[in-house]
Amino acid sequence: MLHGGHFIAGKWVRGKETFPNMPVEGATDEFAVGLPEHIEAAAAAAEQAFTSYNQTSRTERAGFLRSIADEIEARGDEITEIGTRETGLPQVRLEGERGRTTGQLRLFADHIEKGDYLDRRHDLPLPERTPLPRPDLRMMQLPVGPVAVFGASNFPLAFSVAGGDTASALAAGCPVVVKGHSAHPGTSEIVAQAIEAAIKTCSMHPGVFALVQGGTREAGQALVQHPLIQAVGFTGSLGGGRALFDLCASRPNPIPFFGELGSINPMFLMPAALNARGEEIAGGWAASLTMGAGQFCTNPGVAVVIAGEGAETFARSTQAALSKTGAQTMLTKGIAEAYDEGRTQMAGTKGVQELVSSASEPRTATPNLYRTTGSEWLANPNLGEEVFGPLGLIVEVGDLEEMAAVANSLKGQLTCTIHMDDTDTDAAHALLPVLSRKAGRILANGFPTGVEVSDAMVHGGPYPASTNFGHTSVGTLSIRRWLRPVCYQNMPEQVLPDDLK
């Protein structure tokens, strides 16, 4: 059953203003519009919860995370039913994303039980040291306080209400206020109901989690500017994310904004791999490019190749593969319109040739493929802007030197990929230092649309891929975003936090 409201301080709260969801088919549902007054109540409850929640043991928090995962799985059919209606994503995709969501909740439960994330350090006292003695110094990581999380449009589960940002923040000991995305409010509410059940089962403070539904920008602005919020996690557009980032920086007490804002995820095809496997790579690229209608932040939108017969074979093979893909439903009508606008702009750009072009119906997208030269790319920075959807651009360069120049021209990326064979080792080795400065994850002979949730994963990169290049939004390292180091000097053992004794 849908309440159609916000979940604040353990209660479902409605308001006078409502907005409808936009299902692909069937009747709409009404949801309360998130207003600054709801943010105020949620932030105040989160601050009250922090007093007790940050003192819970790692075992207690791990049990809470596992309980949330169990409650989400108990509502699996309900989540899939409303999720497919609201987003147009197929059932198998949502079921897989649900598994990823519950998997990362349990991963963080295991992670905090080990205790390594605390980074505990102890410098023993040196009372006889001259000219000055050294005191007893102990350090560990502590939670920062209430955290704001913005749900993403393209991942209604894994990057939303109970997604990686929420899971890592709760694991760290931080209460969370989620600003739900208006593209899938019903899905968000069912997941929030699962967290509500886990709060009751584990006897947590009711303010430890809140969901304020979308509907207005004012609520989002109020959330990042609220003085009780100590950090923000965001996945979304460059424009929206940059605006929120600037608000965080302009606060009287500036706070960190961990935003994942966009990427074109370029692939670089080395000469031997292009000539030997160009057709195979083209097929894999087309599949990755169109997966989920191209609505992945790791969608590989650009392929850089050296001009010649291998490049021609690659282009023809990509054309043939993309031509077999029909129209796909996009997450929202607005995203579909933005994709069509980006497609039109690309087609009208000087020096760009259309290889596959097609018009789309409202809220659908069809693949588009374009080709340009390395010199045109270097002369026109707009070619490096992300078009969110199944659009690919082949950049033909004259040689490895121009390929390196294209790589050097890149803005920050989530991923870069090298396709190489054994005889390409020297060329790939020369290119790798450049790509290592540009991206948070570098792949060999693969496609970046799969992001493993694990200890070693980095999902982030230099701006504008993310606003903080020292962190990741996927994997266990993401918990570091919600922690700060505290040093205790000459503190009596019986006074120290339990994890530092």
Side-chain angles (χ1 to χ4, degrees), residues 40-196:
E40 175 63 39
E47 178 66 20
Q48 292 173 5
F50 183 62
T51 303
S52 60
Y53 188 62
N54 84 95
Q55 296 299 312
T56 55
S57 69
R58 289 180 280 118
T59 300
E60 289 173 318
R61 295 201 302 279
F64 181 39
L65 294 173
R66 293 186 180 111
S67 180
I68 294 173
D70 292 343
E71 295 291 349
I72 289 174
E73 287 178 343
R75 295 161 175 78
D77 292 343
E78 193 176 358
I79 291 171
T80 299
E81 190 278 328
I82 193 167
T84 54
R85 284 200 299 114
E86 287 188 322
T87 67
L89 295 173
Q91 176 180 335
V92 65
R93 156 68 192 276
L94 280 173
E95 289 174 347
E97 190 179 332
R98 186 176 74 240
R100 172 184 171 137
T101 303
T102 56
Q104 63 191 1
L105 284 160
R106 293 183 175 118
L107 175 66
F108 274 107
D110 295 341
H111 182 65
I112 61 175
E113 283 183 331
K114 296 174 185 176
D116 295 344
Y117 77 98
L118 294 169
D119 195 17
R120 289 170 285 200
R121 306 181 185 200
H122 187 190
D123 295 323
L124 293 171
L126 298 174
E128 306 302 325
R129 190 183 68 175
T130 59
L132 294 173
R134 185 173 76 182
D136 181 89
L137 300 170
R138 306 189 195 206
M139 186 274 282
M140 67 179 289
Q141 302 283 339
L142 294 179
V144 298
V147 164
V149 169
F150 284 75
S153 63
N154 59 335
F155 280 89
L157 300 176
F159 279 85
S160 192
V161 175
D165 288 347
T166 298
S168 56
L170 291 175
C174 298
V176 175
V177 178
V178 173
K179 172 67 164 54
H181 200 286
S182 57
H184 41 73
T187 310
S188 297
E189 183 181 320
I190 301 302
V191 176
Q193 290 179 20
I195 300 177
E196 176 190 16

Side-chain angles (χ1 to χ4, degrees), residues 65-430:
L65 294 173
R66 293 186 180 111
S67 180
I68 294 173
D70 292 343
E71 295 291 349
I72 289 174
E73 287 178 343
R75 295 161 175 78
D77 292 343
E78 193 176 358
I79 291 171
T80 299
E81 190 278 328
I82 193 167
T84 54
R85 284 200 299 114
E86 287 188 322
T87 67
L89 295 173
Q91 176 180 335
V92 65
R93 156 68 192 276
L94 280 173
E95 289 174 347
E97 190 179 332
R98 186 176 74 240
R100 172 184 171 137
T101 303
T102 56
Q104 63 191 1
L105 284 160
R106 293 183 175 118
L107 175 66
F108 274 107
D110 295 341
H111 182 65
I112 61 175
E113 283 183 331
K114 296 174 185 176
D116 295 344
Y117 77 98
L118 294 169
D119 195 17
R120 289 170 285 200
R121 306 181 185 200
H122 187 190
D123 295 323
L124 293 171
L126 298 174
E128 306 302 325
R129 190 183 68 175
T130 59
L132 294 173
R134 185 173 76 182
D136 181 89
L137 300 170
R138 306 189 195 206
M139 186 274 282
M140 67 179 289
Q141 302 283 339
L142 294 179
V144 298
V147 164
V149 169
F150 284 75
S153 63
N154 59 335
F155 280 89
L157 300 176
F159 279 85
S160 192
V161 175
D165 288 347
T166 298
S168 56
L170 291 175
C174 298
V176 175
V177 178
V178 173
K179 172 67 164 54
H181 200 286
S182 57
H184 41 73
T187 310
S188 297
E189 183 181 320
I190 301 302
V191 176
Q193 290 179 20
I195 300 177
E196 176 190 16
I199 289 173
K200 293 176 180 177
T201 298
C202 299
S203 299
M204 292 295 174
H205 189 291
V208 73
F209 168 83
L211 168 65
V212 177
Q213 291 284 15
T216 66
R217 292 183 178 179
E218 287 75 16
Q221 294 169 353
L223 182 57
V224 301
Q225 290 187 300
H226 198 286
L228 295 177
I229 296 298
Q230 300 302 308
V232 178
F234 174 89
T235 299
S237 68
L238 175 59
R242 183 55 197 253
L244 295 175
F245 173 82
D246 292 342
L247 288 175
C248 288
S250 65
R251 287 173 39 147
N253 59 324
I255 59 173
F257 179 86
F258 300 102
E260 190 258 280
L261 307 182
S263 181
I264 59 171
N265 307 292
M267 306 187 311
F268 294 83
L269 279 64
M270 298 294 103
L274 176 64
N275 291 326
R277 299 185 288 112
E279 186 174 353
E280 175 189 341
I281 297 171
W285 184 36
S288 183
L289 196 65
T290 57
M291 182 185 297
Q295 297 170 115
F296 288 91
C297 46
T298 52
N299 188 34
V302 172
V304 184
V305 301
I306 295 178
E309 184 54 39
E312 292 299 323
T313 298
F314 176 76
R316 288 194 300 271
S317 300
T318 305
Q319 283 179 276
L322 290 178
S323 297
K324 299 176 183 177
T325 303
Q328 296 174 281
T329 302
M330 301 200 83
L331 293 160
T332 68
K333 184 179 178 181
I335 291 174
E337 291 173 347
Y339 172 70
D340 190 60
E341 181 179 339
R343 176 190 66 80
T344 301
Q345 184 174 349
M346 180 70 72
T349 300
K350 176 180 175 294
V352 173
Q353 175 191 4
E354 287 185 341
L355 299 181
V356 175
S357 180
S358 53
S360 302
E361 298 295 325
R363 200 170 172 171
T364 65
T366 49
N368 289 271
L369 181 66
Y370 302 90
R371 178 165 56 187
T372 191
T373 64
S375 58
E376 290 288 351
W377 170 279
L378 294 171
N380 186 355
N382 290 332
L383 292 175
E385 298 297 325
E386 180 185 26
V387 178
F388 194 61
L391 183 147
L393 175 65
I394 298 173
V395 180
E396 292 188 356
V397 298
D399 50 30
L400 289 172
E401 184 177 354
E402 190 174 22
M403 180 178 284
V406 169
N408 269 302
S409 74
L410 291 170
K411 299 177 182 178
Q413 303 293 327
L414 293 171
T415 74
C416 288
T417 299
I418 299 175
H419 288 278
M420 56 177 290
D421 283 352
D422 290 343
T423 55
D424 291 316
T425 300
D426 290 343
H429 185 266

